[in-house]
């Protein structure tokens, strides 16, 4: 009968144990540093939203104090905002402005971006530089002559001077779509050309399905721009209250209820809610479209 000799457990050297403890300490410090920065940044973004929400639920008197927590939860403040303003009417105007503006921008910008990304023609680089130059041109520079043009057509006082120009394309949207389309391999379009597809059919059947993330990013950028636009409605629709958007109406509501901060904050939350909901459901497509956008020349 043979006996198995038990092997004594090996013990790490003091230097090895010290190195292991040092590695664990570095990983712990790295985890704390990474999450601390993330938590701090999250608080910077969430803190103002929490403050606005808590103030919106306070009473009139408490909203004027330095309290941070409501004594009573006044959910009726939101109904009071609807009763004292034309918020639903402003909401409809804003959806019309943002919806039509986004649709017109996509219809006019996608073909231009496709042509600049795929076609070889004389002056292509010059056209691309012109798009970049238009991105750097502030709208205030041409505000006076453009306003005079729309005044001759008797469209001032409405939102159409802001919506109709989007049928002519948007420089930023064209640039972003063009940068995304150049990342799509040319083999797909060449194979479609061999099969006898026209350029329009290639755009509709091949390019658009593959460019959905980029199109979604451009659509969200344009929708948020129109939704938050204050300068345009102030310039063209200030004299006609029935054509106000939410941004213009919210500014008027704040001026009329400057001492009722709870109602002002409640109105602010109602204006912000649709944008937050849209971004919450579309954030995956938005982030994917932005991150996949190429930087090729």
């Amino acid at each position: 009968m043979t006996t198995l000799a038990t092997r004594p457990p090996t013990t790490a050297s003091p230097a090895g144990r010290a190195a292991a403890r040092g590695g664990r300490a570095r990983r712990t410090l790295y985890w704390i540093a990474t999450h601390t920065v993330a938590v701090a940044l999250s608080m910077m973004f969430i803190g103002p939203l929490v403050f606005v929400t808590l103030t919106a639920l306070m009473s009139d008197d408490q909203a004027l104090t330095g309290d941070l927590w409501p004594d009573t939860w006044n959910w009726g403040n939101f109904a009071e905002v609807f009763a004292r303003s034309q918020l639903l009417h402003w909401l409809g105007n804003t959806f019309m402005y943002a919806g039509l503006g986004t649709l017109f921008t996509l219809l006019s910008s996608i073909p231009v971006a496709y042509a600049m990304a795929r076609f070889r023609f004389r002056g292509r680089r010059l056209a691309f530089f012109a798009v970049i130059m238009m991105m750097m041109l502030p709208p205030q520079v041409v505000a006076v002559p453009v306003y005079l043009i729309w005044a001759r057509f008797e469209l001032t006082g409405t939102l159409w001077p802001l919506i109709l120009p989007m049928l002519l394309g948007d420089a930023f949207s064209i640039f972003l779509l063009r940068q995304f389309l150049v990342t799509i391999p040319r083999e797909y379009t060449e194979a479609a050309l061999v099969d006898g597809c026209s350029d329009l059919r290639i755009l509709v059947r091949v390019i658009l399905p593959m460019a959905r993330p980029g199109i979604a990013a451009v659509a969200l950028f344009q929708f948020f721009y129109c939704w938050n636009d204050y300068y345009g409605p102030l310039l063209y629709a200030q004299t006609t209250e029935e054509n106000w958007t939410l941004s213009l109406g919210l500014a008027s509501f704040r001026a009329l209820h400057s001492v009722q901060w709870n109602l002002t904050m409640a109105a602010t939350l109602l204006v912000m809610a649709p944008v937050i909901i849209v971004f919450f459901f579309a954030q995956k497509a938005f982030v994917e479209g932005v991150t996949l956008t190429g930087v090729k020349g």
Side-chain angles (χ1 to χ4, degrees):
M1 183 176 180
T2 60
T3 60
L4 298 176
T6 59
R7 189 175 180 179
T10 59
T11 58
S13 62
R17 290 196 299 269
R21 287 196 299 269
R24 287 195 298 269
R26 283 193 297 270
R27 289 193 296 269
T28 302
L29 291 176
Y30 177 79
W31 186 91
I32 293 175
T34 304
H35 289 76
T36 300
V37 173
V39 170
L41 292 176
S42 301
M43 293 299 297
M44 290 175 59
F45 287 99
I46 298 176
L49 183 60
V50 173
F51 174 78
V52 170
T53 304
L54 294 177
T55 306
L57 297 174
M58 293 181 181
S59 61
D60 293 344
D61 296 332
Q62 189 183 7
L64 297 175
T65 64
D67 297 342
L68 298 178
W69 193 263
D71 294 334
T72 57
W73 301 89
N74 297 274
W75 297 99
N77 291 339
F78 296 98
E80 191 71 17
V81 171
F82 285 101
R84 297 193 183 189
S85 66
Q86 303 182 37
L87 193 65
L88 289 178
H89 187 72
W90 300 336
L91 180 64
N93 292 337
T94 306
F95 267 117
M96 183 190 73
Y97 175 29
L100 290 179
T102 303
L103 177 62
F104 289 169
T105 299
L106 292 178
L107 291 177
S108 58
S109 300
I110 290 176
V112 178
Y114 173 69
M116 297 182 66
R118 294 296 177 178
F119 296 165
R120 302 295 181 183
F121 56 90
R122 184 174 298 177
R124 183 171 62 94
R125 290 187 177 274
L126 182 61
F128 182 62
F129 290 147
V131 171
I132 296 178
M133 290 173 61
M134 292 301 298
M135 291 173 55
M136 297 184 293
L137 182 66
Q140 292 81 2
V141 174
V142 295
V144 174
V146 171
Y147 184 89
L148 293 177
I149 292 174
W150 291 114
R152 290 187 178 183
F153 288 103
E154 298 182 355
L155 289 177
T156 55
T158 68
L159 295 175
W160 291 113
L162 302 174
I163 299 174
L164 293 179
M166 297 181 187
L167 285 170
L168 303 178
D170 175 69
F172 175 75
S173 301
I174 294 173
F175 174 79
L176 193 63
L177 285 170
R178 185 261 181 191
Q179 295 300 94
F180 186 89
L181 293 179
V182 295
T183 63
I184 298 178
R186 289 184 174 272
E187 286 76 8
Y188 294 103
T189 56
E190 293 173 355
L193 285 173
V194 172
D195 292 338
C197 291
S198 63
D199 291 322
L200 179 60
R201 192 171 183 181
I202 292 175
L203 173 62
V204 175
R205 295 295 184 87
V206 179
I207 298 298
L208 291 185
M210 300 181 66
R212 286 177 182 174
I215 295 174
V218 170
L220 286 176
F221 271 124
Q222 189 64 27
F223 183 86
F224 292 156
Y225 168 78
C226 295
W227 187 276
N228 298 319
D229 186 19
Y230 176 76
Y231 174 75
L234 178 66
L235 181 62
Y236 290 103
Q238 181 184 13
T239 58
T240 310
E241 186 176 353
E242 63 180 10
N243 292 323
W244 284 3
T245 59
L246 283 174
S247 57
L248 198 58
L250 180 61
S252 175
F253 185 86
R254 182 187 61 82
L256 293 176
H257 303 83
S258 57
V259 295
Q260 294 177 296
W261 286 106
N262 53 341
L263 297 183
T264 301
M265 297 301 179
T268 303
L269 278 180
L270 293 174
V271 171
M272 291 166 48
V275 177
I276 295 175
I277 294 173
V278 170
F279 184 77
F280 179 79
F281 286 103
Q283 60 177 330
K284 182 178 180 180
F286 178 77
V287 173
E288 183 180 1
V290 174
T291 54
L292 292 181
T293 299
V295 293
K296 295 183 180 180

